[in-house]
């Protein structure tokens, strides 16, 4: 089973890129973030023609998430974090596919730091941590997948000294990510590539992609139940170089579900 995450940065404006990548990469399950489309504007007809079913939680402007499935039935669990049901931002979607709990997330950016947006980010993380603990305690096959808006370590950023005042790289959020790993979650990509320089986002400015001046924001975390099923994974970096592409690249893993 091939599972991927992709911050599309506007699903309708970048639909040709998404459809091309789906055809080339052939993932079974895809978690999308930053749809920038209200619920009724999600391009479900085009997604269906590409061979995928979808569950989505749209929102105008900056948010919105979706989960696509090819050949697997999906059951929606929730589209907000427990205890955070009053949050009006579309940032979390949880479904069950092939007996796996898929938690698609678009964690808040938090900039400018400090400020109310960073406070909202930390509050969101608090609710998220509670849900991840529940999944660990229940010993479920589960995946936390999406745009975490967290740079976990200095290894995950080009010139880390330039990010010391950015909400993506603050000690509090890095500690929260590290705590997930201590609690039993496996960072799939870093496990497969422990020493390599791997980025998933390159800014549009200053030829960041051409210089490989990137950061790693998009993560796939596996619960202990799934750790032994991890086979391979990677970042489809070349997609970032396609015309009119997102500033993120798709990230994927393959699990042995036999």
């Amino acid at each position: 089973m091939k599972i991927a995450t992709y911050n599309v940065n506007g699903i309708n404006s970048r639909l040709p890129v998404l459809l091309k990548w789906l055809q080339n990469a052939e993932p079974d399950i895809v978690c999308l973030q930053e749809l920038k489309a209200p619920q009724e504007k999600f391009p479900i007809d085009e997604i269906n023609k590409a061979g995928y079913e979808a569950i989505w939680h749209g929102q105008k402007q900056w948010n919105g998430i979706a989960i696509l499935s090819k050949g697997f039935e999906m059951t929606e669990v929730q589209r907000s974090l427990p205890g955070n049901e009053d949050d009006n931002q579309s940032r979390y979607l949880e479904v069950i596919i092939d007996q796996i709990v898929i938690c698609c997330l678009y964690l808040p950016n938090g900039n400018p730091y400090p400020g109310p947006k960073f406070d909202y980010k930390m509050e969101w993380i608090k609710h998220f941590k509670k849900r991840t603990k529940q999944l660990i305690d229940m010993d479920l096959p589960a995946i936390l997948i999406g745009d975490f808006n967290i740079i976990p370590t200095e290894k995950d950023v080009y010139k880390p000294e330039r990010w010391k005042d950015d909400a993506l790289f603050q000690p509090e959020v890095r500690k929260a990510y590290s705590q997930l790993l201590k609690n039993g979650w496996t960072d799939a990509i870093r496990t497969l590539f422990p020493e390599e320089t791997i980025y998933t986002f390159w800014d549009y400015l200053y030829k960041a992609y051409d210089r490989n001046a990137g950061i790693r924001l998009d993560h796939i975390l596996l619960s202990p139940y799934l750790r032994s099923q991890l086979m391979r994974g990677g970042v489809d970096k070349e997609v970032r170089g396609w015309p009119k592409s997102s500033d993120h690249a798709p990230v994927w893993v393959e699990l042995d579900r036999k």
Side-chain angles (χ1 to χ4, degrees):
M1 175 186 286
K2 186 175 184 179
I3 305 171
T5 180
Y6 188 17
N7 180 320
V8 291
N9 192 14
I11 191 168
N12 287 303
S13 61
R14 307 193 197 280
L15 187 58
V17 173
L18 173 62
L19 295 176
K20 178 183 176 181
W21 170 71
L22 289 174
Q23 183 178 27
N24 291 351
E26 298 183 319
D28 300 297
I29 299 167
V30 184
C31 293
L32 302 175
Q33 304 86 40
E34 207 171 346
L35 303 180
K36 294 182 178 178
Q39 190 74 6
E40 67 276 9
K41 295 295 184 180
F42 185 83
I44 186 59
D45 290 342
E46 291 85 350
I47 296 297
N48 288 163
K49 288 177 183 177
Y52 291 86
E53 299 298 325
I55 295 176
W56 68 96
H57 186 194
Q59 186 174 0
K60 192 176 181 180
Q61 295 179 331
W62 304 113
N63 304 315
I65 50 180
I67 301 177
L68 315 184
S69 176
K70 188 174 187 177
F72 291 94
E73 182 179 346
M74 291 189 287
T75 301
E76 182 175 331
V77 178
Q78 54 197 352
R79 52 181 58 200
S80 62
L81 287 164
N84 202 30
E85 291 83 0
D86 293 336
D87 187 7
N88 60 7
Q89 297 192 25
S90 302
R91 294 188 174 276
Y92 188 80
L93 183 58
E94 187 175 311
V95 306
I96 296 175
I97 303 175
D98 192 33
Q99 300 182 324
I100 301 175
V101 181
I102 308 287
C103 306
C104 175
L105 61 133
Y106 180 36
L107 202 145
N109 179 286
N111 281 305
Y113 168 84
K117 290 187 177 181
F118 186 76
D119 295 339
Y120 168 67
K121 178 173 190 165
M122 295 307 301
E123 182 69 15
W124 201 96
I125 288 174
K126 182 180 74 172
H127 292 288
F128 179 57
K129 287 171 64 177
K130 288 182 179 178
R131 180 54 179 160
T132 65
K133 185 178 185 301
Q134 291 173 346
L135 295 170
I136 290 288
D137 290 345
M138 289 186 287
D139 193 26
L140 293 174
I143 301 177
L144 314 177
I145 179 170
D147 180 354
F148 281 60
N149 270 316
I150 296 174
I151 304 170
T153 71
E154 291 189 356
K155 188 185 298 184
D156 301 302
V157 54
Y158 179 81
K159 293 191 176 180
E161 64 275 9
R162 296 185 176 180
W163 294 83
K164 61 183 179 64
D165 296 324
D166 195 285
L168 306 179
F169 200 49
Q170 290 308 301
E172 302 97 311
V173 298
R174 294 168 61 191
K175 182 179 179 181
Y177 189 91
S178 176
Q179 192 62 53
L180 291 174
L181 306 186
K182 291 179 182 178
N183 291 344
W185 296 93
T186 294
D187 183 333
I189 295 301
R190 187 50 73 195
T191 297
L192 292 167
F193 306 98
E195 301 300 331
E196 286 86 340
T197 297
I198 296 180
Y199 302 136
T200 67
F201 169 94
W202 298 262
D203 200 294
Y204 291 124
L205 301 175
Y206 312 119
K207 296 185 177 180
Y209 177 71
D210 296 334
R211 297 185 295 113
N212 198 31
I215 53 180
R216 190 168 76 99
L217 294 179
D218 307 87
H219 308 300
I220 302 175
L221 273 56
L222 307 179
S223 70
Y225 194 104
L226 293 176
R227 173 63 182 87
S228 63
Q229 298 181 24
L230 177 62
M231 298 171 60
R232 59 186 65 90
V235 179
D236 290 342
K237 180 182 176 181
E238 70 280 0
V239 177
R240 171 62 179 82
W242 292 355
K244 299 182 180 179
S245 186
S246 170
D247 42 12
H248 294 251
V251 184
W252 58 272
V253 295
E254 288 186 7
L255 301 180
D256 182 0
R257 297 293 292 161
K258 295 180 182 178

